[in-house]
Amino acid sequence: MIRFYKGKNYDSASKIAADIIAAQMILKPDCVLGLATGSTPIGAYQELIRMNQAGLIDFSEVSTCNLDEYVGLGGNDEQSYRYFMNHQLFDHVNIDKTRTHVPNGLADDIQAACREYDEIVASVGGADLQLLGIGHDGHIGFNEPGDSFDRGTHLADLQESTIRANSRFWDGDESKVPKQAVTMGIATVMSARRILIMACGADKREIITKAFHGPITPQVPASALQLHPCVYVVGDEAAMGDLC
Ligand code: GLP
């Protein structure tokens, strides 16, 4: 079942997303959260920090598994997704960092690191709730158009358009953006019991509409979510338009 929620603006969409995550944490204090990076979830993370500091939610028993990491970046690199998660969420809540997992972008043997990451996800029992953003080409994690739906964690080559979009974090210098990433595959994402995908801003309107009202095709990776039994699509008015 797909449920759509529209907030008036980015802040209210972030609040809706945070409430869904908080509900999961209250229902199951030792839940596994699949987490995402990108600019979209930052507001939801800020709201979760506020709720945690107000004593409304507790991260002490929560485990997390992040979607992806750039190849070649270590956790101390400001552009790495491990650094992002520490700074945007983990450093500000009462989570046990040993329970937080991000793929290893520095492994000598990336293929082995991919297999190990799938084992980690399986060993914590899989995600109870997987949070996702969406790229302009419909990518989730770093599953780019054309990637088959049945893959686990793997090494992905980033599309030119994704490199261009993400270069904003490198002052627009595309040459500095890593060209590869380790990402959970669509099969890993689909194994989560619930999925929460966020889309905000007018520039996401076309792709989020395609993903949920268009054909299910690897050319639009997020369209696979139409096949999942429990999906929450949360966005602002600019992105959601007439979706709900
Ligand atoms: C990156 C991440 C995705 C994210 C996407 C969109 O490519 N790997 O997980 O969904 O960016 O990011 P934003 O939310 O900044 O638009």
mmCIF file of all heavy atoms in Angstrom, residues 37-41 67-68 81 133-135 139 141-142 162 166 168-169 204, ligand 1:
data_model
loop_
_atom_site.group_PDB
_atom_site.id
_atom_site.type_symbol
_atom_site.label_atom_id
_atom_site.label_comp_id
_atom_site.label_asym_id
_atom_site.label_seq_id
_atom_site.Cartn_x
_atom_site.Cartn_y
_atom_site.Cartn_z
ATOM 1 N N THR A 37 21.185 10.039 3.022
ATOM 2 C CA THR A 37 21.850 11.343 3.055
ATOM 3 C C THR A 37 21.199 12.249 2.003
ATOM 4 O O THR A 37 20.058 12.039 1.628
ATOM 5 C CB THR A 37 23.355 11.176 2.794
ATOM 6 O OG1 THR A 37 23.498 10.493 1.546
ATOM 7 C CG2 THR A 37 24.021 10.377 3.899
ATOM 8 N N GLY A 38 21.924 13.254 1.546
ATOM 9 C CA GLY A 38 21.335 14.233 0.633
ATOM 10 C C GLY A 38 20.742 15.370 1.450
ATOM 11 O O GLY A 38 20.651 15.279 2.683
ATOM 12 N N SER A 39 20.341 16.430 0.788
ATOM 13 C CA SER A 39 19.828 17.573 1.550
ATOM 14 C C SER A 39 18.400 17.350 2.037
ATOM 15 O O SER A 39 17.997 17.915 3.061
ATOM 16 C CB SER A 39 19.928 18.860 0.719
ATOM 17 O OG SER A 39 19.593 18.605 -0.614
ATOM 18 N N THR A 40 17.635 16.510 1.352
ATOM 19 C CA THR A 40 16.217 16.369 1.702
ATOM 20 C C THR A 40 15.969 15.932 3.150
ATOM 21 O O THR A 40 15.129 16.527 3.824
ATOM 22 C CB THR A 40 15.524 15.420 0.707
ATOM 23 O OG1 THR A 40 15.813 15.869 -0.619
ATOM 24 C CG2 THR A 40 14.016 15.393 0.923
ATOM 25 N N PRO A 41 16.655 14.896 3.668
ATOM 26 C CA PRO A 41 16.297 14.445 5.025
ATOM 27 C C PRO A 41 16.812 15.310 6.168
ATOM 28 O O PRO A 41 16.492 15.041 7.332
ATOM 29 C CB PRO A 41 16.896 13.035 5.104
ATOM 30 C CG PRO A 41 17.869 12.912 4.005
ATOM 31 C CD PRO A 41 17.674 14.032 3.049
ATOM 32 N N LEU A 67 22.283 3.880 3.458
ATOM 33 C CA LEU A 67 22.130 3.400 2.091
ATOM 34 C C LEU A 67 23.433 3.256 1.328
ATOM 35 O O LEU A 67 23.611 2.312 0.562
ATOM 36 C CB LEU A 67 21.316 4.433 1.297
ATOM 37 C CG LEU A 67 19.819 4.398 1.328
ATOM 38 C CD1 LEU A 67 19.301 5.637 0.600
ATOM 39 C CD2 LEU A 67 19.317 3.143 0.662
ATOM 40 N N ASP A 68 24.326 4.240 1.492
ATOM 41 C CA ASP A 68 25.428 4.301 0.531
ATOM 42 C C ASP A 68 26.615 5.102 1.058
ATOM 43 O O ASP A 68 26.517 5.771 2.088
ATOM 44 C CB ASP A 68 24.930 4.891 -0.806
ATOM 45 C CG ASP A 68 24.096 6.152 -0.633
ATOM 46 O OD1 ASP A 68 24.080 6.716 0.477
ATOM 47 O OD2 ASP A 68 23.468 6.587 -1.608
ATOM 48 N N TYR A 81 29.581 10.222 3.524
ATOM 49 C CA TYR A 81 28.242 10.069 4.098
ATOM 50 C C TYR A 81 28.307 9.669 5.572
ATOM 51 O O TYR A 81 27.401 9.967 6.336
ATOM 52 C CB TYR A 81 27.435 9.066 3.273
ATOM 53 C CG TYR A 81 26.948 9.643 1.946
ATOM 54 C CD1 TYR A 81 26.393 8.831 0.973
ATOM 55 C CD2 TYR A 81 27.022 11.010 1.675
ATOM 56 C CE1 TYR A 81 25.922 9.360 -0.232
ATOM 57 C CE2 TYR A 81 26.562 11.540 0.476
ATOM 58 C CZ TYR A 81 26.018 10.719 -0.471
ATOM 59 O OH TYR A 81 25.547 11.240 -1.652
ATOM 60 N N GLY A 133 15.678 9.408 -0.138
ATOM 61 C CA GLY A 133 15.432 10.587 -0.955
ATOM 62 C C GLY A 133 15.288 10.084 -2.384
ATOM 63 O O GLY A 133 15.244 8.874 -2.626
ATOM 64 N N ILE A 134 15.235 10.994 -3.325
ATOM 65 C CA ILE A 134 15.164 10.573 -4.727
ATOM 66 C C ILE A 134 15.997 11.532 -5.575
ATOM 67 O O ILE A 134 15.950 12.756 -5.367
ATOM 68 C CB ILE A 134 13.689 10.492 -5.213
ATOM 69 C CG1 ILE A 134 13.606 9.931 -6.654
ATOM 70 C CG2 ILE A 134 12.965 11.842 -5.095
ATOM 71 C CD1 ILE A 134 12.192 9.562 -7.083
ATOM 72 N N GLY A 135 16.773 10.967 -6.492
ATOM 73 C CA GLY A 135 17.543 11.809 -7.405
ATOM 74 C C GLY A 135 16.669 12.257 -8.575
ATOM 75 O O GLY A 135 15.596 11.695 -8.817
ATOM 76 N N HIS A 139 16.980 7.955 -9.141
ATOM 77 C CA HIS A 139 17.823 7.028 -8.381
ATOM 78 C C HIS A 139 17.488 7.065 -6.899
ATOM 79 O O HIS A 139 17.082 8.093 -6.352
ATOM 80 C CB HIS A 139 19.322 7.251 -8.637
ATOM 81 C CG HIS A 139 19.937 8.464 -8.032
ATOM 82 N ND1 HIS A 139 20.312 9.567 -8.760
ATOM 83 C CD2 HIS A 139 20.292 8.742 -6.747
ATOM 84 C CE1 HIS A 139 20.862 10.465 -7.955
ATOM 85 N NE2 HIS A 139 20.860 9.993 -6.725
ATOM 86 N N GLY A 141 19.346 5.674 -3.203
ATOM 87 C CA GLY A 141 20.718 5.319 -2.866
ATOM 88 C C GLY A 141 21.539 5.810 -4.049
ATOM 89 O O GLY A 141 21.424 6.959 -4.475
ATOM 90 N N PHE A 142 22.346 4.927 -4.615
ATOM 91 C CA PHE A 142 23.022 5.261 -5.879
ATOM 92 C C PHE A 142 22.640 4.236 -6.950
ATOM 93 O O PHE A 142 23.443 3.902 -7.808
ATOM 94 C CB PHE A 142 24.536 5.335 -5.694
ATOM 95 C CG PHE A 142 25.006 6.692 -5.248
ATOM 96 C CD1 PHE A 142 25.713 6.842 -4.072
ATOM 97 C CD2 PHE A 142 24.748 7.829 -6.010
ATOM 98 C CE1 PHE A 142 26.160 8.100 -3.652
ATOM 99 C CE2 PHE A 142 25.179 9.087 -5.596
ATOM 100 C CZ PHE A 142 25.885 9.219 -4.420
ATOM 101 N N THR A 162 24.063 12.771 -11.981
ATOM 102 C CA THR A 162 24.174 12.665 -10.520
ATOM 103 C C THR A 162 25.444 13.369 -10.051
ATOM 104 O O THR A 162 25.439 14.082 -9.036
ATOM 105 C CB THR A 162 24.184 11.172 -10.110
ATOM 106 O OG1 THR A 162 22.971 10.582 -10.574
ATOM 107 C CG2 THR A 162 24.305 11.000 -8.614
ATOM 108 N N ASN A 166 25.386 16.433 -7.512
ATOM 109 C CA ASN A 166 26.060 16.353 -6.211
ATOM 110 C C ASN A 166 27.294 17.243 -6.120
ATOM 111 O O ASN A 166 27.846 17.438 -5.039
ATOM 112 C CB ASN A 166 26.404 14.892 -5.898
ATOM 113 C CG ASN A 166 25.153 14.078 -5.599
ATOM 114 O OD1 ASN A 166 24.049 14.632 -5.598
ATOM 115 N ND2 ASN A 166 25.289 12.801 -5.352
ATOM 116 N N ARG A 168 27.316 20.226 -6.103
ATOM 117 C CA ARG A 168 27.023 21.410 -5.282
ATOM 118 C C ARG A 168 27.689 21.318 -3.912
ATOM 119 O O ARG A 168 27.926 22.315 -3.258
ATOM 120 C CB ARG A 168 25.519 21.640 -5.152
ATOM 121 C CG ARG A 168 24.770 20.604 -4.344
ATOM 122 C CD ARG A 168 23.265 20.828 -4.530
ATOM 123 N NE ARG A 168 22.437 20.053 -3.626
ATOM 124 C CZ ARG A 168 22.128 18.775 -3.822
ATOM 125 N NH1 ARG A 168 22.599 18.130 -4.878
ATOM 126 N NH2 ARG A 168 21.365 18.144 -2.966
ATOM 127 N N PHE A 169 27.988 20.087 -3.482
ATOM 128 C CA PHE A 169 28.678 19.930 -2.192
ATOM 129 C C PHE A 169 30.189 20.126 -2.327
ATOM 130 O O PHE A 169 30.918 20.111 -1.354
ATOM 131 C CB PHE A 169 28.373 18.549 -1.594
ATOM 132 C CG PHE A 169 26.897 18.337 -1.334
ATOM 133 C CD1 PHE A 169 26.165 17.438 -2.093
ATOM 134 C CD2 PHE A 169 26.237 19.066 -0.356
ATOM 135 C CE1 PHE A 169 24.805 17.250 -1.862
ATOM 136 C CE2 PHE A 169 24.878 18.896 -0.115
ATOM 137 C CZ PHE A 169 24.156 17.991 -0.872
ATOM 138 N N LYS A 204 11.646 18.242 -7.972
ATOM 139 C CA LYS A 204 11.433 16.802 -7.761
ATOM 140 C C LYS A 204 10.034 16.359 -8.208
ATOM 141 O O LYS A 204 9.715 15.172 -8.175
ATOM 142 C CB LYS A 204 11.636 16.443 -6.276
ATOM 143 C CG LYS A 204 13.058 16.631 -5.767
ATOM 144 C CD LYS A 204 14.000 15.557 -6.289
ATOM 145 C CE LYS A 204 15.457 15.802 -5.933
ATOM 146 N NZ LYS A 204 15.786 15.573 -4.544
HETATM 147 C C1 GLP B 1 22.428 11.400 -3.521
HETATM 148 C C2 GLP B 1 22.156 10.258 -2.564
HETATM 149 C C3 GLP B 1 20.698 9.855 -2.575
HETATM 150 C C4 GLP B 1 19.821 11.083 -2.457
HETATM 151 C C5 GLP B 1 20.060 11.967 -3.651
HETATM 152 C C6 GLP B 1 19.164 13.201 -3.679
HETATM 153 O O1 GLP B 1 22.694 10.984 -4.819
HETATM 154 N N1 GLP B 1 22.942 9.113 -2.839
HETATM 155 O O2 GLP B 1 20.452 8.969 -1.492
HETATM 156 O O3 GLP B 1 18.461 10.700 -2.412
HETATM 157 O O4 GLP B 1 21.420 12.384 -3.576
HETATM 158 O O5 GLP B 1 19.682 14.179 -2.848
HETATM 159 P P1 GLP B 1 18.929 15.494 -2.409
HETATM 160 O O6 GLP B 1 18.007 15.089 -1.308
HETATM 161 O O7 GLP B 1 20.017 16.391 -1.931
HETATM 162 O O8 GLP B 1 18.209 16.010 -3.597
#
